[in-house]
Amino acid sequence: MTGIEGVVPKYLRIAGHLRELIERGELAVGAEVPSERELAAQWRVARPTAAKALNILRQQGIVRSRRGSGTYVAEQPALLRESAPRYQSSSPVGRSVTVLRAEVVEGPREVTDALGLPASSAVIVRKLLSEDDSGAARLVTCWYPGEFVSAAALLLGSEPLHGEASRYLEAALGRVAAVVRESVGARLAGEDECRHLALAHPAAVLVVHRIGRDVDGVALEYRESVHPPGVSILHREYFASSATDFRR
């Protein structure tokens, strides 16, 4: 076992696998998901481990349990995704990632507010340049509470993490992002962004901000992704009952 799978606990891997099945439609809304007993046998783990995986999905609102019946895929709200599902690698085959910055700094006010920290608190900043084979690039800057340094030291490493950094953080902290809130906007690129994304100045960029919170509402990560113009990155998906406004 290599890479992130050697770090991520089994219950997170089980939860991630089930989430992928749901997001791909292989487990539809209302479908029964495997029971604790079935998961324990399939993954060769103890039943408490399987129960922990299902509980993560319950906390995230992905599944619902019915007393005396089983656990079923819940109806999901509108989905807005910036890239791949959270439990997949953010660096697919053919994409290179360069760590431009990884250090502890005094957090800007926007960042400390997003993370629910006092002004000027120490935060970890990790800035990445991600490029695919065609040359398309994006800048991703992630901020984390400074106190995470002792448990998640690899966030300060100069090498890309294997797979999604959020998965490493969840494994290191033993806490899962149960709620993710994203906002999308556009603005003019800064000089540094123009340089890294090979844009002429001035240039407009698409910016996605994302905050991940655990089940207690505590922020684990604040992320900003900057994308150049002309790149289709957003997919909006609705379940029929969530789109009533469009049928009027």
Side-chain angles (χ1 to χ4, degrees), residues 82 90-91 95-103 125-131 137-144 154-166 192-193 196-197 210 221 223-227:
E82 177 190 348
S90 62
S91 303
R95 180 172 288 277
S96 66
V97 177
T98 303
V99 178
L100 302 175
R101 183 184 185 193
E103 59 182 323
V125 58
R126 186 173 176 84
K127 187 171 185 177
L128 314 171
L129 175 64
S130 177
E131 300 176 279
R138 64 176 177 174
L139 279 174
V140 181
T141 307
C142 305
W143 292 273
Y144 310 92
L154 290 184
L155 293 176
L156 293 178
S158 59
E159 296 296 325
L161 294 173
H162 295 285
E164 176 67 48
S166 298
D192 187 60
E193 292 166 341
H196 286 299
L197 297 176
R210 185 171 85 180
E221 177 190 62
R223 177 182 299 194
E224 178 186 77
S225 299
V226 179
H227 303 260

Side-chain angles (χ1 to χ4, degrees), residues 68-89:
S69 176
T71 303
Y72 300 83
V73 179
E75 183 173 327
Q76 305 298 307
L79 301 177
L80 179 61
R81 294 195 186 90
E82 177 190 348
S83 54
R86 191 169 54 87
Y87 283 96
Q88 288 184 338
S89 168

Side-chain angles (χ1 to χ4, degrees), residues 10-11 13-15 17-18 21 27 33-55 57-58 63 71:
K10 209 61 171 289
Y11 73 91
R13 291 167 55 198
I14 297 171
H17 173 72
L18 292 174
L21 293 179
L27 284 174
V33 301
S35 66
E36 292 177 12
R37 185 186 302 275
E38 292 169 331
L39 289 173
Q42 178 184 352
W43 288 80
R44 298 181 181 180
V45 297
R47 284 190 63 174
T49 300
K52 198 170 183 180
L54 290 176
N55 190 49
L57 299 180
R58 291 189 195 99
V63 301
T71 303

Side-chain angles (χ1 to χ4, degrees), residues 104-105 115 117 121-124 143-151 156:
V104 177
V105 299
L115 293 175
L117 301 174
S121 293
V123 298
I124 302 169
W143 292 273
Y144 310 92
E147 65 185 35
F148 289 178
V149 169
S150 58
L156 293 178

